[in-house]
């Protein structure tokens, strides 16, 4: 059975390549944090794909928390003028947030 949120998290990681490079030029610490948070989203969803019930929901909540961190880092980069906000990761993160919200709620 396909796990759409997992697939969308892969899209997010792919789409972050260029924005991460731009952020890294300005703030290496923020870029590392953004990269780790994106990895955490994907890895938690990978594990959730093999779980059920409360275990699955818990891992989706972790992924959702990490996604909020990804979105916050992207927002900071936009506010600081390093990104324009129109890059694909912003839209993908919003889509994934909707999916995870539904998966994480009790």
């Amino acid at each position: 059975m396909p796990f759409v949120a997992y697939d969308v998290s892969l899209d997010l990681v792919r789409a972050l390549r260029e924005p991460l490079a731009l952020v890294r030029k300005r703030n290496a610490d923020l870029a590392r944090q953004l990269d780790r948070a994106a990895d955490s989203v994907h890895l938690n969803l990978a594990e959730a794909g093999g779980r059920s019930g409360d275990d699955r929901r818990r891992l989706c909540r972790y992924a959702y928390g990490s996604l909020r961190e990804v979105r916050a880092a992207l927002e900071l980069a936009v506010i600081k003028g390093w990104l324009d906000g129109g890059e694909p990761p912003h839209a993908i993160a919003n889509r994934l947030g909707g999916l995870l919200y539904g998966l994480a709620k009790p």
Side-chain angles (χ1 to χ4, degrees):
M1 176 171 118
F3 189 18
V4 174
Y6 176 85
D7 294 338
V8 175
S9 74
L10 280 173
D11 293 340
L12 177 63
V13 172
R14 280 186 204 102
L16 279 170
R17 285 182 197 150
E18 186 178 325
L20 261 172
L22 294 171
V23 172
R24 190 173 287 116
K25 289 178 185 177
R26 304 307 278 284
N27 186 326
D29 289 335
L30 183 60
R32 275 191 294 276
Q33 191 163 356
L34 172 56
D35 195 31
R36 281 193 311 270
D39 289 352
S40 178
V41 171
H42 182 69
L43 294 171
N44 277 298
L45 287 174
E47 189 171 352
R51 305 289 179 105
S52 62
D54 287 339
D55 262 358
R56 184 178 178 112
R57 249 187 311 282
R58 177 179 50 84
L59 290 161
C60 288
R61 283 194 304 269
Y62 293 159
Y64 185 65
S66 293
L67 179 66
R68 289 182 56 88
E69 189 174 358
V70 167
R71 291 171 71 183
L74 290 171
E75 290 165 354
L76 282 173
V78 169
I79 289 167
K80 293 178 181 235
W82 306 335
L83 300 176
D84 68 15
E87 296 84 4
H90 300 277
I92 295 168
N94 288 336
R95 177 175 181 223
L96 185 54
L99 292 168
L100 290 178
Y101 182 80
L103 291 168
K105 69 181 181 179

